[in-house]
Amino acid sequence: RGIFRQGKGDWEHNQWAEESDRKREKLISSDEKSNSPEDIKKQLEYRRAYSIAGDLVTQASQKEKIVTDDLKQAVSQGTGHLEGLQYRLKGEESLARKLVEKSASKGISIEEYAGKVTDVLRYTSVSDKESLTNDFFVTEDNLGKNGYTVIEVTNTFALKNVPYKGINTLVKDKEGYVFELQFHTPQSLEVKEANHKLYEEARLAETSKEMKKKLTNQMIENASSIGVPNEIERIKDVVR
């Protein structure tokens, strides 16, 4: 769906497209052995979700080049750096699953939930704990000079008994497109990645309640080891 920039060649684009199609068919046909009305409905939901996910990824890929360049420039004014740029675009398969599962849990349509998704394009800025707070404000200021607005900030670094610590922000460009930007220290990013594996296990339907509780407690214990960045209280939660 065009996430490769010009110059990469049609072959690489086609390889990605074919792989995406294989994943789509695997996801859609995972329950095709059963033809019950419930399973047929599920298959149709996944087909619709995959189509919507493809549109969202295409839209994000069209924004990505400019946003990435502007973000690199903004972050470079401080001491931090962007980490994991290879993951800045959410995959169609992961997004399709999210659309189906989250819309069902919230009791809304896939289309309605799709309008609320803000992490198809996502970035992570990493700074040491002595500099993170200052780097946050430097990045916000420089993004503002390029027409971006930080519309939401959630700071969980100072919270206790939580499974995740970091700063999550939503940023809107001049045309109204919203993407996610997280701020981490090397330690908080390492814990986040370790806890994500535990989270994925905890969210499985076949995981028992006892195991879910055990996994959650482990995530909380892991997060409790994260050092609090200097002057982190200066970064307030914001919803604009």
Side-chain angles (χ1 to χ4, degrees), residues 120-142:
V120 184
L121 187 58
R122 65 273 178 94
Y123 299 88
T124 301
S125 176
V126 177
S127 304
D128 61 44
K129 71 175 187 177
E130 289 75 27
S131 305
L132 184 142
T133 298
N134 186 61
D135 284 347
F136 170 87
F137 288 111
V138 168
T139 300
E140 181 181 38
D141 181 61
N142 279 279

Side-chain angles (χ1 to χ4, degrees), residues 16-156:
W16 181 88
E18 290 172 8
E19 178 64 17
S20 180
D21 288 341
R22 284 193 293 270
K23 287 181 177 180
R24 179 187 294 108
E25 290 307 314
K26 181 180 178 182
L27 180 65
I28 292 169
S29 63
S30 58
D31 292 323
E32 280 187 352
K33 291 182 180 180
S34 172
N35 290 317
S36 69
E38 182 178 346
D39 287 329
I40 291 173
K41 180 181 178 181
K42 182 179 179 181
Q43 291 165 27
L44 292 173
E45 285 179 343
Y46 272 113
R47 288 183 186 277
R48 195 163 85 253
Y50 235 117
S51 176
I52 294 171
D55 291 340
L56 290 175
V57 171
T58 296
Q59 181 187 26
S61 69
Q62 292 168 348
K63 290 284 185 178
E64 178 273 321
K65 177 65 167 62
I66 293 175
V67 172
T68 300
D69 288 347
D70 287 345
L71 197 50
K72 282 181 177 178
Q73 189 278 332
V75 171
S76 72
Q77 302 307 301
T79 68
H81 65 277
L82 293 177
E83 184 93 6
L85 278 173
Q86 66 269 35
Y87 305 118
R88 61 192 177 274
L89 281 168
K90 197 175 187 73
E92 278 191 34
E93 181 176 1
S94 173
L95 182 54
R97 286 187 184 278
K98 179 176 181 177
L99 292 174
V100 171
E101 294 172 2
K102 292 291 188 178
S103 62
S105 68
K106 294 178 180 296
I108 60 179
S109 69
I110 291 173
E111 289 80 3
E112 184 177 353
Y113 183 74
K116 303 176 184 294
V117 174
T118 54
D119 65 343
V120 184
L121 187 58
R122 65 273 178 94
Y123 299 88
T124 301
S125 176
V126 177
S127 304
D128 61 44
K129 71 175 187 177
E130 289 75 27
S131 305
L132 184 142
T133 298
N134 186 61
D135 284 347
F136 170 87
F137 288 111
V138 168
T139 300
E140 181 181 38
D141 181 61
N142 279 279
L143 284 173
K145 292 175 181 177
N146 273 324
Y148 294 86
T149 306
V150 177
I151 60 173
E152 188 170 316
V153 179
T154 304
N155 177 6
T156 58

